[in-house]
């Protein structure tokens, strides 16, 4: 039963990590857009950093669940 729970958590964390990565890339493009206002670019940069942190957190958690599901 614990293996199933860990496998489900692995899938969930993997999906959340992918979502954070997509958001990070979108914010990265806004931050690089010279047509956007300085405030918009700064906000996108801040959000991009937060998304990168979330992505790494989810990827790490997914790896932990993946290893736990193997045992």
């Amino acid at each position: 039963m614990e293996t199933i729970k860990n496998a489900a958590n692995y899938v969930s964390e993997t999906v959340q990590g992918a979502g954070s990565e997509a958001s990070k890339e979108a914010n990265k493009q806004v931050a690089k857009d010279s047509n956007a206002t300085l405030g918009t670019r700064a906000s996108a940069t801040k959000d991009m950093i937060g998304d990168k942190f979330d992505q790494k957190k989810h990827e790490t958690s997914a790896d932990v669940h993946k290893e736990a599901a193997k045992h």
Side-chain angles (χ1 to χ4, degrees):
M1 186 66 172
E2 201 61 28
T3 301
I4 294 170
K5 180 180 174 186
N6 284 322
N9 286 335
Y10 165 72
V11 171
S12 175
E13 292 292 344
T14 301
V15 169
Q16 290 178 48
S20 293
E21 182 178 13
S23 180
K24 177 193 76 170
E25 290 301 321
N27 282 316
K28 183 177 176 181
Q29 293 307 312
V30 172
K32 291 168 47 175
D33 184 0
S34 61
N35 292 324
T37 66
L38 183 58
T40 299
R41 293 175 72 183
S43 179
T45 300
K46 177 187 73 70
D47 292 344
M48 181 183 68
I49 292 167
D51 290 337
K52 181 65 176 177
F53 175 78
D54 288 344
Q55 176 190 359
K56 289 297 179 187
K57 179 181 73 170
H58 290 302
E59 288 174 351
T60 301
S61 185
D63 288 342
V64 169
H65 290 300
K66 182 179 179 181
E67 287 303 313
K70 289 180 182 179
H71 302 289

